[in-house]
Amino acid sequence: MGVSGGIAAYKACELLRRLTESGHDVRVVPTESALHFVGEATWSALSGSPVSTEVWESVHEVPHVRIGQAADLVVVAPATADVLAKAAHGLADDLLTNTLLTARCPVLFAPAMHTEMWEHPATQENVATLRRRGAVVIEPAVGRLTGVDTGKGRFPDPAEIFELCRRVLARGPEAPAADLAGRHVVVSAGGTREPLDPVRFLGNRSSGRQGYALARTAAARGARVTLVAANSELPPPAGVDVVPVGTAVQLREAVVKAATDADAVVMAAAVADFRPAAYAQGKIKKKDGAEPEPVALVRNPDVLAEISAARSRPGQVVVGFAAETDDVLANGRAKLARKGCDLLVVNEVGERKTFGSTENEAVVLGADGSETAVPHGPKEALADTVWDLVAGRLA
């Protein structure tokens, strides 16, 4: 774990704790500047390993070569503009930059800096260079920075960076670490809510977990990710641009806008098919002895069919989800033909199935007649299968 000299270095202690407590052997390699924020004793105590910034210590062990050679993952958190620049240009003036040059494992950078530094053309070119070479450089978060400043450049949530590390490691050393690098993907997640009056709505049981797993996994594979999130209480995945929405109409507007330059669109959200024809400005009152008035419904826009029919760029891959309660595969095949998407993830849902769970099982149907079964397991496993199929079609 590389740590560079930014105020966010103290947050990296939480990332280190999560890595070690989950059973990983972590060697911390800070820059000299990083030690101005968190001292050597802290890194050594939390990791249980010696800490050094220099290539001239323990020379007989050749640390500037051995650390990178032995690693399964190198994560630099926080990654300052300076370290990104050195990594992009192959400079090696301390132990961390030497380690980056010798590492043949996946490398993940979690940038943190002021907005102006992140948006500077030099930094953006360095990030593009690293991504082109296969490194995973996640997008910084938006929020409070040092002092009174606010903007893009905030260090992402350490818990979410840890989840990204888990996803990269789970794919194994043989899998390409950043096979979605240079790609922009759009993912919808959660469940839309259609208001009846100021306090009531028509909704569904979707928690957004599958869509968030898709977004997190895509970020771990190097993609620039836009997550259109409908009414989910889950924390934003690290390195993902989140667009919050409420209704099906709002979701459509956000997805259509984000899809303009997207290589792939994955519609994992549970979008309401209908909405109330009229919205009551005041709370609908219960009348003694009288049955409630029927609620008239109108159709919502079919976002998946619209995106599939009017692709904003050649080669764009569109993936839909079908939540079925009976005749799952038959209904799924009919929906695939009707919607016109490239892939359709079909799963059986119910009160105790899929919605709100951390696990899922599904069959991914392809417009080319393919059929890929995904056994019961973590939703991240299904997400990886979906991105494997998308990446193959993009290639």
Side-chain angles (χ1 to χ4, degrees):
M1 187 176 96
V3 184
S4 54
I7 187 65
Y10 80 93
K11 295 183 179 180
C13 294
E14 172 67 12
L15 174 60
L16 174 57
R17 184 186 67 80
R18 288 177 178 272
L19 288 167
T20 55
E21 288 187 356
S22 59
H24 296 94
D25 179 19
V26 185
R27 177 74 180 265
V28 180
V29 183
T31 65
E32 190 68 36
S33 297
L35 297 181
H36 286 284
F37 297 96
V38 180
E40 178 182 332
T42 299
W43 298 121
S44 182
L46 290 175
S47 68
S49 298
V51 170
S52 175
T53 65
E54 298 292 339
V55 297
W56 305 112
E57 296 182 15
S58 303
V59 174
H60 65 288
E61 296 177 357
V62 201
H64 69 290
V65 174
R66 296 288 180 260
I67 296 174
Q69 287 178 333
D72 298 299
L73 171 68
V74 174
V75 54
V76 183
T80 59
D82 180 65
V83 164
L84 291 172
K86 288 178 177 178
H89 289 85
L91 301 180
D93 61 355
D94 61 8
L95 189 54
L96 174 56
T97 49
N98 273 269
T99 299
L100 289 170
L101 277 181
T102 57
R104 295 298 179 266
C105 60
V107 178
L108 189 155
F109 293 91
M113 64 196 74
H114 267 70
T115 305
E116 294 84 356
M117 299 175 74
W118 172 252
E119 293 178 346
H120 194 284
T123 303
Q124 289 301 304
E125 287 182 18
N126 292 331
V127 168
T129 297
L130 291 169
R131 286 172 172 166
R132 188 171 62 251
R133 292 176 186 161
V136 177
V137 186
I138 64 175
E139 295 287 311
V142 176
R144 181 72 178 268
L145 305 174
T146 307
V148 298
D149 294 342
T150 299
K152 190 167 188 176
R154 182 181 174 88
F155 189 64
D157 185 347
E160 285 298 321
I161 299 175
F162 169 70
E163 290 300 324
L164 280 183
C165 293
R166 283 185 60 247
R167 295 313 310 147
V168 173
L169 287 166
R171 283 172 51 74
E174 302 303 322
D179 58 347
L180 294 177
R183 303 291 191 178
H184 176 211
V185 302
V186 177
V187 179
S188 71
T192 60
R193 294 177 179 178
E194 311 302 322
L196 286 163
D197 62 24
V199 297
R200 301 184 181 93
F201 60 85
L202 298 178
N204 57 64
R205 298 178 182 273
S206 178
S207 65
R209 291 184 185 277
Q210 185 62 72
Y212 275 61
L214 283 155
R216 183 183 294 115
T217 300
R221 294 171 69 154
R224 176 167 68 90
V225 184
T226 300
L227 175 63
V228 179
N231 305 297
S232 178
E233 298 180 356
L234 299 173
V240 171
D241 292 324
V242 180
V243 181
V245 296
T247 67
V249 171
Q250 292 170 348
L251 183 139
R252 177 204 168 272
E253 292 174 354
V255 168
V256 168
K257 180 179 178 180
T260 303
D261 66 343
D263 297 285
V265 180
V266 180
M267 294 292 297
V271 183
D273 294 319
F274 311 101
R275 68 181 184 273
Y279 173 74
Q281 296 296 326
K283 180 182 176 182
I284 300 172
K285 297 294 186 180
K286 179 172 58 178
K287 298 178 181 178
D288 291 340
E291 292 296 320
E293 294 291 328
V295 176
L297 301 176
V298 295
R299 284 187 177 275
N300 269 323
D302 191 329
V303 188
L304 177 57
E306 180 181 349
I307 292 291
S308 299
R311 315 224 176 182
S312 54
R313 59 189 304 178
Q316 186 179 70
V317 178
V318 179
V319 183
F321 272 67
E324 301 291 345
T325 57
D326 52 64
D327 295 329
V328 175
L329 288 182
N331 287 335
R333 290 190 185 95
K335 184 172 184 177
L336 175 64
R338 190 168 65 252
K339 301 294 185 180
C341 50
D342 301 289
L343 297 166
L344 189 73
V345 183
V346 185
N347 54 9
E348 185 176 359
V349 298
E351 188 171 345
R352 293 180 175 83
K353 292 182 179 179
T354 303
F355 287 141
S357 172
T358 58
E359 298 184 330
N360 203 350
E361 64 180 301
V363 176
V364 186
L365 303 176
D368 57 2
S370 61
E371 192 172 301
T372 306
V374 183
H376 188 267
K379 288 185 173 178
E380 288 81 3
L382 174 57
D384 263 325
T385 299
V386 170
W387 291 125
D388 287 343
L389 294 170
V390 169
R393 283 159 174 78
L394 289 174

